[in-house]
Amino acid sequence: MTRRIALTVLALVTVLLVLAVVPLGVLLTQREETSFRSTAEASAGTLASAAEEHLSDHKPDTDMRELLDETQDEGGCAAVFDAAGQVVARTSCSTATDDGTRSLVAAALAHPHTTAHRSGDTLTVATPIGDSADKVGVAVLVKSADPLDDRIAVVWGWLALIGVVGLVLGTVVSVRLARWVGRPSSPSTPQPGAWARARWTSGPRPTPGRRRYAGSRPPSTPWPHGPRPWCTATGR
């Protein structure tokens, strides 16, 4: 009985932990991915604004070059394409100019909207440069997704730790609850039927070997009026 109660409570605690921890982990993972993607899109938008000043307004490309250098220092890759799909400027790494990136550039030129695509451990963002009616090029940013994976691993690690602690506490609580429910009653507490037995045994009990009948008297005591009734009935 004690083991059954402990296992039941432990199973209930496990189910509650799974129902609470797993959806929370999925939600936090999606939030981290959204935040990482938003940050990459914002960086690509900043690069596109600096490239627009050079491609559309014909200003010096100083700001654009500085942003490319900052991107490379942070471990990312970036490139700026003109309206014909030709590379205007890029970082030293060639990841932002490979064939897969050029397909995103063509898609961004055909349908002017920011496109984000993750392949393996990299996230590629392509942002059109200029207005939708007057596109002058595309800015491409490629970032490693390792920081995102590290943050997700930390999130799941903390959730796993919380789940283990909750499971241990649930185990302790279930065992103690099972012992408390299944423990025997106190010796001072009367059991069912104890009051009836005590009442039955508390009164005087007849002496063994003697039986008293209603209307009888001891043989040595004379009857007050005449002979004893059984002697009369039997002729004694």
Side-chain angles (χ1 to χ4, degrees), residues 32 36 118 144-158:
E32 290 292 340
F36 185 77
R118 179 172 179 176
S144 173
D146 290 339
L148 172 63
D149 296 336
D150 294 339
R151 290 200 295 268
I152 293 177
V154 170
V155 169
W156 281 104
W158 278 107

Side-chain angles (χ1 to χ4, degrees), residues 31-41 123 143-148 151:
R31 182 172 298 181
E32 290 292 340
E33 292 176 350
T34 301
S35 177
F36 185 77
R37 186 182 297 109
S38 299
T39 302
E41 291 177 355
L123 177 67
K143 295 186 64 175
S144 173
D146 290 339
L148 172 63
R151 290 200 295 268

